Amino acid sequence: MSLLVVGSVALDSLETPFGKAERIVGGSGTYISLAASYFTKKINLVGVIGGDFPQSDLDLMQKKGINLEGLQVKKDQKSFFWSGKYHSDMNTRDTLVTELNVLGDFDPKIPENYQGCEYLMLGNLAPVVQKQVIERLETRPKYIAMDTMNFWMDSALEDLKEVLKMVDILIVNDSEARQLTNEYSLVKAAQEITKMGPSTLIIKKGEHGALLFSENQVFFAPALPLEEVFDPTGAGDTFAGGFIGFLARNKDFSFETMKNAVIYGSAMASFCVEKFGTEKLKELTANDIEERINQFVELVKFNKVIV
Amino acid sequence: MSLLVVGSVALDSLETPFGKAERIVGGSGTYISLAASYFTKKINLVGVIGGDFPQSDLDLMQKKGINLEGLQVKKDQKSFFWSGKYHSDMNTRDTLVTELNVLGDFDPKIPENYQGCEYLMLGNLAPVVQKQVIERLETRPKYIAMDTMNFWMDSALEDLKEVLKMVDILIVNDSEARQLTNEYSLVKAAQEITKMGPSTLIIKKGEHGALLFSENQVFFAPALPLEEVFDPTGAGDTFAGGFIGFLARNKDFSFETMKNAVIYGSAMASFCVEKFGTEKLKELTANDIEERINQFVELVKFNKVIV
């Protein structure tokens, strides 16, 4: 019943209208694992870091039940580093620095202990690496979900299409869904993407919520209208972590359970943006999460007035 | 129990990626009245047209139960004319031509028959005209709703603020709410706007749905994910017409009923964009509307899985 998470484990320097943070812990693998850890305790992480990655954050991840046996440490190298500055609307950002460092020649090794995982979440990484991970698993997981980004559509589209054929669930944002299909209508984009491989598609729309397409059905989860968005970094990965963590906990991938998983993912993302980096994801309680879920339920609930 | 609608009754020339339409019927008063006519038959329209406005459309409006006694006809002048071209994403457009014509010196006259109306919907017009209408009513309607646009925030902000003090419900889009308050967060913008007068605020987000703020509560209505948007012209006015028509029919402005009204408004807007201009709004049945409402219900419905 374990969940295998593969993704970047990184250091980020961020600037938002609310402040700056230097070399804090980030990366898709980190956000996914932390968010999922609130739902399932059998999380096996695969990734790579350098000697500059803070031990205190590794300790915290282990305390949250995240197995780091598959996290390679290259002591004399540096961790993947990204630096970005958000515009005042918080929806757009400029990348200032990207240093691949240890991620440049990342060779994902799957510890023997990790074999037999039931669920695999491929965080945003080069499609060739995502494919390697799938190929190195002795038995195919029951469900494989993946994230990707426009960068790979520009630079490695054929590789990306290869991986898409191998997965069950794709999680992308609206502009990525449009770029991948050349369709502006998200309904049409969803139809095209499900022809590429994944039977389930989630389109994240940031502050505008998320759409779930599966089994010829569609579900819409709103985003919570927030007074302040402090730092959007990692919100998409946190969504993915909450989503897959919830499904792994429930061991059920029916449409009805996936609807719930999208709401839980949205709730986790709404926490993520309230503080810098992973800060908020370190301190949540089960009660915090349930209270937020109730806010989502209230936000869209209405009793039909008979006319 | 009558609903008074004030707005432009216009001719539009439109170009979208799907085609062109020349000098077809449009205007905020037209779209609002037509949408509301599916819910209440006591609609009194105030507006002004020139001799170039097609009689067949006037006949149709009357057939839909819209009283045109307050629609001034200036036979030797031209109707308000707007021409626009939509970009390929359908969310942005260029205004090519705006000819005020009869609207330039519009003096809204309220027929004696219209006095005593319970509900007033002020479509997008110069704030001074909106104010005149309120002042010319012998008794204040129970509920006054208004629409406006960024043009008046740029050119007549003080007038607009005067009208805002006199109304109960403001309906604007997200960029207008942000412009009016200088707040990017829609939650903060809503707090500021309710200090300006209206106790209820609806923020339309186009393809991303609509938010209802009232009585310190918030409700979110999604937009239906559509395969094609044929022509977005009038969608916002159609939303307003469905919203106020539903409330007038139910004679109830509680938060629960307003939630329903937002869903009905969204449903009417989703029809509007499926054909050019008012075309789709002429041919709907009660059954069409109920079926679409059910699609909205299904879109956000989920049964909470116990974890």
Side-chain angles (χ1 to χ4, degrees), chain A residues 94-108:
Chain A
D94 294 324
T95 289
L96 304 177
V97 181
T98 305
E99 291 173 8
L100 283 180
N101 299 329
V102 291
L103 213 55
D105 57 354
F106 178 40
D107 180 27

Side-chain angles (χ1 to χ4, degrees), chain B residues 50-65:
Chain B
D52 55 353
F53 197 88
Q55 184 61 41
S56 57
D57 281 86
L58 296 176
D59 293 345
L60 178 114
M61 289 169 83
Q62 282 185 307
K63 212 175 123 197
K64 293 259 177 210

Side-chain angles (χ1 to χ4, degrees), chain A residues 13-15 82-87 91-98:
Chain A
S13 285
L14 311 166
E15 188 176 343
W82 177 82
S83 166
K85 183 176 175 175
Y86 288 85
H87 301 170
N91 281 325
T92 48
R93 67 186 187 190
D94 294 324
T95 289
L96 304 177
V97 181
T98 305

Side-chain angles (χ1 to χ4, degrees), chain A residues 91 188 220 228 299 303, chain B residues 91 184 188 220 228 256 299:
Chain A
N91 281 325
K188 286 191 174 179
F220 175 77
E228 294 294 7
L299 184 63
N303 299 310
Chain B
N91 280 326
Y184 185 80
K188 286 192 174 178
F220 175 76
E228 295 293 8
E256 198 57 43
L299 185 63

Side-chain angles (χ1 to χ4, degrees), chain A residues 62-88:
Chain A
Q62 282 185 307
K63 213 175 123 197
K64 293 260 178 209
I66 302 164
N67 185 350
L68 302 183
E69 195 187 333
L71 183 65
Q72 302 166 40
V73 184
K74 302 199 170 176
K75 284 216 178 299
D76 50 355
Q77 294 183 48
K78 281 177 155 183
S79 301
F80 173 63
F81 175 71
W82 177 82
S83 166
K85 183 176 175 175
Y86 288 85
H87 301 170
S88 59

Side-chain angles (χ1 to χ4, degrees), chain A residues 89 91 184-185 188 205 207 219-220 227-228 246 256 259-260 290 299 301 303-305 307, chain B residues 89 91 184-185 188 208 219-220 226-228 246 256 259-260 290 299 301 303-305 307:
Chain A
D89 68 2
N91 281 325
Y184 185 80
S185 155
K188 286 191 174 179
K205 305 201 296 172
E207 62 163 328
F219 173 67
F220 175 77
E227 274 199 45
E228 294 294 7
F246 183 87
E256 198 57 42
K259 286 182 184 182
N260 276 262
E290 280 310 299
L299 184 63
K301 194 175 76 178
N303 299 310
K304 206 173 153 195
V305 170
V307 288
Chain B
D89 68 2
N91 280 326
Y184 185 80
S185 154
K188 286 192 174 178
H208 302 303
F219 172 68
F220 175 76
L226 296 171
E227 272 200 46
E228 295 293 8
F246 183 87
E256 198 57 43
K259 286 182 184 181
N260 276 262
E290 281 310 300
L299 185 63
K301 195 174 77 175
N303 299 312
K304 206 172 153 196
V305 171
V307 288

Side-chain angles (χ1 to χ4, degrees), chain B residues 168-240:
Chain B
D168 305 292
I169 303 169
L170 177 67
I171 303 172
V172 286
N173 68 32
D174 44 1
S175 68
E176 291 157 354
R178 285 171 173 142
Q179 180 172 347
L180 189 57
T181 59
N182 287 316
E183 290 286 356
Y184 185 80
S185 154
L186 296 179
V187 176
K188 286 192 174 178
Q191 289 164 353
E192 290 306 307
I193 288 171
T194 47
K195 287 180 199 160
M196 295 178 183
S199 58
T200 295
L201 171 67
I202 292 167
I203 299 181
K204 298 171 291 180
K205 305 201 296 172
E207 62 163 327
H208 302 303
L211 287 162
L212 165 69
F213 296 91
S214 189
E215 303 168 13
N216 290 316
Q217 294 178 87
V218 57
F219 172 68
F220 175 76
L224 216 57
L226 296 171
E227 272 200 46
E228 295 293 8
V229 170
F230 203 73
D231 170 22
T233 310
D237 297 318
T238 302
F239 172 93

